[in-house]
Amino acid sequence: MNDSQATLERRIARLAAAGGSATFAGNRIGLEKEGLRVSANGRLAETPHPPALGAALTHPYITTDFSEALIELITPPLSSGREALEFLTDIHLYVYRHLPGELLWGTSMPCILSRAGEIPLAQYGTSNAATMKTAYRRGLGNRYGRTMQLIAGVHFNFSFADAFWDLYQDQEVVTGERVGFRAEAQMGMIRNLQRIGWLVPYLFGASPAVCASFVQGRETDLQRFDADTLFYPHATSLRMGDIGYQNKQEEGTGIKANYDSLDAYVRSLTWAIQTPCPQYEAIGVKVGDRYEQLNANVLQIENEYYSTVRPKQIMDWMEKPTLALRRRGIRYVELRSLDVNIFEPVGVGDEQLLFLDGLMLYCLLLGSPRIGARERREIDENQVLTAHRGREPGLALVRDRSPVALRQWAGEILDGMAAAAELLDGAANGPRSENLRRQREKVGHPDLTPSARILETMRERHEGFFAFSQRLAEKHRRDLRSLELSPERQALLDRLAVDSLRQQREIEAADDRSFDDFLETYFAQGH
């Protein structure tokens, strides 16, 4: 048994003796789900964000991401995965009441796309804050291409109960202020989530193929599934591979954040936000009267940094994320590696959520040394290998400079998670333990994974990616429209839509300076 595993078992035994599953009663789970609005013929919707849904700038649960057609649905932090799924389902029901003739695309990879320049940027009104959000998105399009920004995903937001943190700190015999202890522990958890994060796209990846229009004529080594579909035979998640959205440090246009501590993480992102990048300087910042990007630095703002997992803090209005982390520590951890699951009407289901909170606890309690440059390369390599070839027989990843079979390593992780699952369930054969058995089956039988099921269905039905995705999106719409939205939830979402529009008007009316001054003040925070 290695030191990390011994540390895990010791910590789990202490927590079980001190109260077991009751210690985690205050854990919270939240979900963020992105999805493209598409027309009846499967093309990107050209309509604006429906006003009846409220203001994308200020609505807490219904907003937009990169494009006006890329809707983002957000739940509040709730006490269980089941509650989060119910809330997310209710938001879908509400949205569909205001999408006559349109579909919510059910996969991470986009629908049929025309020219990238025709993809509309998200709009948020006339305020300085709205202008900043759109200018940031214009910058993303100029830097990485607009097509890349239409890839959708599901983010899993997780926080441990305050009662757990107090008990855990006492058991670790760490004195000092609580915020610092929690930050140090959660940065260790994040490092472990990166080390073994390849397991998430293996088990739940659902993007093994893509519409040929996505590559927009670029050279790739993707294979032809049919005339209109590209794929890799053993892919799990093209979204998480190297055709997805990345910060490419090796090309001088990105960074690798430092996860040694929260302070190191904040410092590394701050450096990127303040350091000019010659390639982006060539784009220009303010060209004529329009901002082509917020600045010409390595990152425009923190959100541009691509990572599978992030430390997060709830922000005040227009507060910089790094400043919120520096001031108040880590409130929750955001795992960003879940594909939209086309087999679930809302893109995510119980199976993923029962696995992920167990994974969070496992990664917190497991020993977590710092990540050096060599291990960082291994982490990146393992992610791409799993994304492109995860179901390939005999595939080996790299661990501690040595090859290790993916199946062997995955089995070791799932075995190690068993005690954490029992601790959360409060029993030896609870729902998380049963779910782990299903995940072990996927390791032994890759044809059970969502990615394999997608390709198999496409072959059986002689469907390309587009036809397959559109058919299931239409089925999900029918299924969701057959459900009833409770009067209480309907009233809540109606009220939030009205309130968000009023808040947007108030923000616009309160603007008292130019956008140039607004932007200068925003970036000066914390100096």
Side-chain angles (χ1 to χ4, degrees):
M1 182 187 300
N2 61 37
D3 291 343
S4 292
Q5 191 68 26
T7 298
L8 170 75
E9 294 187 4
R10 183 174 65 253
R11 288 169 171 168
I12 285 180
R14 286 200 303 245
L15 289 167
S21 61
T23 308
F24 304 98
N27 288 4
R28 291 293 179 265
I29 291 173
L31 298 171
E32 303 171 38
K33 187 255 186 165
E34 302 156 346
L36 289 172
R37 288 188 297 111
V38 302
S39 62
N41 65 3
R43 301 276 179 164
L44 196 67
E46 297 178 356
T47 53
H49 184 68
L53 296 179
L57 179 70
T58 49
H59 199 296
Y61 306 139
I62 304 173
T63 184
T64 52
D65 196 88
F66 174 78
S67 173
E68 191 75 350
L70 184 56
I71 199 165
E72 183 172 359
L73 307 179
I74 303 166
T75 77
L78 296 164
S79 61
S80 69
R82 173 43 45 192
E83 286 188 25
L85 285 174
E86 289 172 354
F87 198 101
L88 185 62
T89 300
D90 284 349
I91 305 174
H92 277 76
L93 300 182
Y94 188 82
V95 167
Y96 259 129
R97 293 186 176 193
H98 302 286
L99 292 185
E102 291 183 353
L103 291 169
L104 293 177
W105 198 242
T107 64
S108 284
M109 304 310 286
C111 56
I112 294 176
L113 300 176
S114 301
R115 291 191 310 108
E118 297 175 3
I119 296 169
L121 298 176
Q123 303 294 320
Y124 299 93
T126 61
S127 66
N128 284 326
T131 301
M132 179 179 173
K133 289 173 77 72
T134 300
Y136 165 61
R137 285 156 174 76
R138 186 176 297 113
L140 292 177
N142 287 333
R143 292 176 175 211
Y144 312 105
R146 293 192 180 190
T147 302
M148 206 66 64
Q149 309 306 314
L150 295 186
I151 299 174
V154 175
H155 300 167
F156 176 82
N157 300 325
F158 185 82
S159 61
F160 285 101
D162 286 340
F164 162 78
W165 280 122
D166 292 342
L167 173 63
Y168 186 52
Q169 183 169 357
D170 290 344
Q171 289 185 341
E172 292 294 292
V173 196
V174 176
T175 58
E177 48 97 18
R178 302 292 194 185
V179 172
F181 172 78
R182 296 182 186 188
E184 181 69 16
Q186 287 179 101
M187 291 305 292
M189 177 174 77
I190 288 170
R191 292 193 295 273
N192 282 333
L193 285 167
Q194 291 180 322
R195 288 183 171 102
I196 63 174
W198 54 266
L199 185 58
V200 175
Y202 175 83
L203 294 174
F204 304 115
S207 54
V210 65
C211 182
S213 65
F214 177 79
V215 302
Q216 301 275 310
R218 289 180 289 118
E219 285 293 324
T220 76
D221 62 352
L222 289 163
Q223 299 180 26
R224 284 275 175 189
F225 183 89
D226 64 17
D228 302 310
T229 301
L230 302 174
F231 82 123
Y232 289 129
H234 299 103
T236 62
S237 174
L238 296 183
R239 167 178 169 264
M240 297 302 297
D242 62 11
I243 73 166
Y245 174 33
Q246 301 179 52
N247 300 101
K248 298 187 177 179
Q249 184 183 30
E250 64 275 10
E251 296 177 10
T253 59
I255 69 161
K256 290 297 182 186
N258 186 327
Y259 293 88
D260 286 354
S261 66
L262 180 59
D263 181 66
Y265 177 80
V266 168
R267 285 177 181 274
S268 60
L269 289 190
T270 301
W271 172 88
I273 294 165
Q274 296 176 350
T275 301
C277 175
Q279 184 172 324
Y280 298 151
E281 287 178 325
I283 296 170
V285 178
K286 189 176 183 182
V287 180
D289 293 330
R290 189 172 82 171
Y291 275 80
E292 293 298 325
Q293 52 186 341
L294 295 177
N295 54 55
N297 298 335
V298 174
L299 299 178
Q300 298 174 86
I301 57 176
E302 295 91 330
N303 288 353
E304 187 173 344
Y305 180 61
Y306 176 83
S307 177
T308 56
V309 58
R310 288 175 177 170
K312 298 294 286 285
Q313 176 55 259
I314 298 169
M315 293 178 293
D316 295 332
W317 175 249
M318 297 310 296
E319 182 182 26
K320 290 168 64 176
T322 46
L323 197 56
L325 286 168
R326 193 183 292 280
R327 287 169 169 165
R328 300 185 295 282
I330 301 172
R331 183 68 189 91
Y332 63 98
V333 169
E334 177 190 55
L335 185 70
R336 301 161 53 82
S337 54
L338 273 182
D339 281 356
V340 177
N341 185 351
I342 194 167
F343 296 113
E344 296 285 351
V346 299
V348 61
D350 282 316
E351 186 178 336
Q352 290 106 310
L353 304 190
L354 284 171
F355 177 81
L356 289 176
D357 67 350
L359 181 68
M360 291 284 179
L361 180 59
Y362 173 74
C363 287
L364 178 77
L365 301 181
L366 195 66
S368 183
R370 304 293 190 252
I371 295 174
R374 173 188 52 78
E375 188 180 15
R376 168 55 54 199
R377 289 191 296 273
E378 291 179 0
I379 288 170
D380 293 345
E381 180 180 344
N382 289 339
Q383 176 178 301
V384 173
L385 278 172
T386 306
H388 289 189
R389 299 164 50 198
R391 291 178 289 105
E392 181 180 296
L395 179 67
L397 304 181
V398 183
R399 180 175 61 183
D400 296 331
R401 303 186 185 185
S402 299
V404 56
L406 181 150
R407 289 191 185 188
Q408 175 189 332
W409 194 358
E412 292 171 2
I413 295 168
L414 295 175
D415 288 345
M417 287 179 61
E422 289 185 16
L423 184 60
L424 289 169
D425 283 336
N429 294 298
R432 291 176 183 82
S433 298
E434 177 60 33
N435 188 52
L436 276 183
R437 283 191 279 275
R438 288 199 293 273
Q439 306 318 313
R440 288 191 185 94
E441 290 175 357
K442 291 184 192 175
V443 173
H445 302 280
D447 56 308
L448 298 176
T449 60
S451 56
R453 290 169 57 204
I454 288 170
L455 294 178
E456 182 61 24
T457 303
M458 288 166 56
R459 291 188 185 99
E460 287 178 351
R461 297 181 64 97
H462 305 289
E463 288 178 321
F465 170 78
F466 171 77
F468 167 77
S469 302
Q470 186 177 36
R471 177 174 59 83
L472 284 188
E474 290 171 345
K475 180 182 184 300
H476 294 333
R477 176 175 61 180
R478 292 193 300 271
D479 291 345
L480 287 166
R481 283 181 167 173
S482 71
L483 302 177
E484 291 293 328
L485 185 63
S486 73
E488 295 79 13
R489 193 58 54 82
Q490 173 81 38
L492 169 66
L493 294 171
D494 283 342
R495 176 175 58 78
L496 289 174
V498 172
D499 288 351
S500 67
L501 291 166
R502 173 184 52 76
Q503 291 164 0
Q504 177 179 316
R505 291 192 297 269
E506 290 172 352
I507 291 167
E508 291 170 348
D511 273 351
D512 58 359
R513 56 188 143 170
S514 69
F515 180 63
D516 292 354
D517 289 344
F518 172 87
L519 207 55
E520 183 179 353
T521 301
Y522 176 84
F523 284 116
Q525 288 181 74
H527 286 185

